[in-house]
Amino acid sequence: MEEEFVIRTVEHGTLPVLRELAIKTFEDTFREHNTAEDMALYRERNFGLSTLEMEWQEEGTVFFLAYTGTDAVGYAKVRKGEPLEALQFEVALEIERIYVHQDYLGRQVGKILLQACLHHARKAGYKTAWLGVWEHNTRAQAFYKKFGFERFGEHAFVLGGDEQTDWLMKKTL
């Protein structure tokens, strides 16, 4: 029997679930490539409950959780944010995060979350979706390319105290 995943938008009461999943998936994805100090600093700055609540309340921001049964196994965040100079003439929505619990990688959770983000963007009238992906995360780059995203630039991403490079990728909707 095929596993069924359901996507729900995050409500205020599910912010603690989002926080727990965000920490777990981020650490699983990047722990081996970064120092414990940088990981702790990033976690402290970005995954505190009050920080997530402020982001959740930000106009134009939506979080999605993927569930199988009662278990949250992946999440995504989209946000209107500030327009990038390279996209200044496009009506663009940023897909800021898509993370899947490592036990569910390769089981279509990322695909379903990405489809939810793109559906939301189209419904809200956006013409372009864009994102940043770490230059060394070839798995994620291949995933986004499969769905029609193309590289159009790069920018700095600071993880703790370490400045890294993210590829910028976009897709016309």
Side-chain angles (χ1 to χ4, degrees):
M1 184 165 109
E2 193 170 306
E3 215 164 1
E4 185 174 323
F5 299 101
V6 176
I7 304 296
R8 297 187 185 118
T9 55
V10 171
E11 301 296 331
H12 189 268
T14 53
L15 284 172
V17 173
L18 171 66
R19 179 179 185 268
E20 184 178 317
L21 185 62
I23 291 169
K24 170 94 175 106
T25 56
F26 191 83
E27 288 187 351
D28 286 348
T29 303
F30 298 110
R31 181 185 307 113
E32 74 178 80
H33 305 288
N34 295 280
T35 67
E37 296 79 17
D38 283 337
M39 292 295 289
L41 188 55
Y42 188 87
R43 183 177 56 245
E44 183 182 309
R45 288 180 182 161
N46 295 277
F47 297 130
L49 202 50
S50 61
T51 301
L52 288 173
E53 184 172 3
M54 283 186 342
E55 291 178 0
W56 177 76
Q57 291 174 345
E58 189 179 279
E59 184 183 340
T61 296
V62 179
F63 285 95
F64 299 99
L65 278 170
Y67 288 90
T68 181
T70 58
D71 297 328
V73 298
Y75 82 100
K77 175 187 177 188
V78 297
R79 65 188 293 264
K80 183 171 75 175
E82 295 298 315
L84 290 176
E85 187 175 322
L87 297 176
Q88 64 183 334
F89 300 111
E90 299 183 44
V91 181
L93 182 71
E94 179 182 9
I95 301 173
E96 191 176 79
R97 298 181 190 142
I98 294 182
Y99 287 94
V100 175
H101 190 288
Q102 73 181 75
D103 292 346
Y104 289 86
L105 291 174
R107 292 160 78 176
Q108 306 299 308
V109 179
K111 174 184 176 182
I112 295 166
L113 283 164
L114 180 58
Q115 288 171 335
C117 293
L118 296 175
H119 174 76
H120 170 80
R122 286 183 190 103
K123 189 175 173 186
Y126 291 94
K127 303 300 181 200
T128 303
W130 73 276
L131 53 87
V133 59
W134 187 37
E135 66 181 334
H136 299 296
N137 191 344
T138 55
R139 179 187 180 114
Q141 292 164 14
F143 171 77
Y144 294 123
K145 285 178 185 175
K146 188 167 89 173
F147 288 94
F149 283 81
E150 297 177 345
R151 183 176 175 186
F152 70 96
E154 59 185 45
H155 71 180
F157 176 83
V158 180
L159 194 146
D162 184 27
E163 186 172 302
Q164 302 177 359
T165 301
D166 274 2
W167 287 7
L168 299 177
M169 299 180 79
K170 71 177 180 175
K171 173 184 177 68
T172 302
L173 303 176

